[in-house]
Amino acid sequence: MPDVLLAIVYGLFAGLMIPAGGYLASIERIQPNWLEQEFRHSVIAFGGGILVSAVAFVLVPEALDLLPIWASVLTFFAGGALFALLEYLQSKKASQNAQFIAMLTDFVPEAASLGAMMAARTPEAALLAFLIGAQNLPEAFNAWRELRGGRHHRRAHVMRIFFVLALIGPAAVLLGYFFLADRPILTGTIMMVAAGGILFLTFQDIAVKAHLKYKQAPSLAALLGFSLGMVGHALVS
């Protein structure tokens, strides 16, 4: 399969996890109390574990190969500061779409980085595609519950939005494939900014919402999410 076609397939796979996560979140008739509490918190923690594994096993190592250490540290903190600013502006507006916006914020730079890695034929590209898709599933699950929480959006309308968002995957991957492949400094910067932003969001928002008093399932789910990245990294390496 040509590399560019494979890049589109990877991007489409990652993007389609958004409507898949929305569909899972729409199932509310099976043990609704349990779904609202322990399972939902476990899904949040699982997504957090996957995000951390993407930072630890793909984004930071790849960026360190492209940037000097001083630039890596600088852009890493710049990413955290940027996401902190976005989170602050979001809270000032009192918006109810924080999970939805967070999903898009980390999806786009990761997918663009994936495209650049595909063009450079980096072995870890397949792992990153898997991790992006795996994190989109729980993030879309939570974004669906958030958008539908106030009942201001109909189910069919939200699902249409999620399917449109799925197309962001191939578009961002192609952008990275054609415009970032020959720009290693820019590619490394995007990866490190995304890594810093993701780690900030993990501790600022995801870890807090995943906690459930007197329950250990969410923390174990975080370990499961991270272990998926660990296994994928071992297989690729």
Side-chain angles (χ1 to χ4, degrees), residues 135-187:
Q135 77 190 40
N136 277 345
L137 189 70
E139 285 185 355
F141 181 97
N142 296 320
W144 173 282
R145 307 286 288 185
E146 180 182 68
L147 292 173
R148 289 279 297 154
R151 302 296 177 181
H152 299 305
H153 302 278
R154 293 183 294 108
R155 291 177 58 177
H157 176 66
V158 176
M159 187 57 74
R160 282 196 295 269
I161 292 175
F162 278 20
F163 270 108
V164 171
L165 293 180
L167 300 178
I168 291 178
V173 167
L174 288 176
L175 177 67
Y177 187 93
F178 288 110
F179 296 102
L180 293 180
D182 298 326
R183 296 173 174 85
I185 300 299
L186 179 58
T187 301

Side-chain angles (χ1 to χ4, degrees), residues 72-90:
S72 297
V73 174
L74 182 63
T75 52
F76 182 78
F77 276 98
L82 175 61
F83 277 57
L85 176 62
L86 293 175
E87 200 251 358
Y88 172 76
L89 295 175
Q90 184 72 13

Side-chain angles (χ1 to χ4, degrees), residues 34-120:
W34 175 64
L35 179 63
E36 285 292 339
Q37 297 299 321
E38 194 163 356
F39 180 69
R40 184 182 180 188
H41 285 75
S42 296
V43 169
I44 295 174
F46 176 77
I50 292 175
L51 285 170
V52 173
S53 70
V55 171
F57 295 124
V58 181
L59 294 176
V60 168
E62 289 297 322
L64 285 173
D65 288 340
L66 300 174
L67 299 174
I69 185 61
W70 66 267
S72 297
V73 174
L74 182 63
T75 52
F76 182 78
F77 276 98
L82 175 61
F83 277 57
L85 176 62
L86 293 175
E87 200 251 358
Y88 172 76
L89 295 175
Q90 184 72 13
S91 64
K92 293 291 286 185
K93 293 181 180 180
S95 174
Q96 299 300 312
N97 301 329
Q99 292 280 340
F100 179 78
I101 293 176
M103 176 177 65
L104 293 182
T105 304
D106 58 54
F107 180 32
V108 174
E110 285 182 316
S113 300
L114 172 61
M117 292 171 67
M118 289 292 298

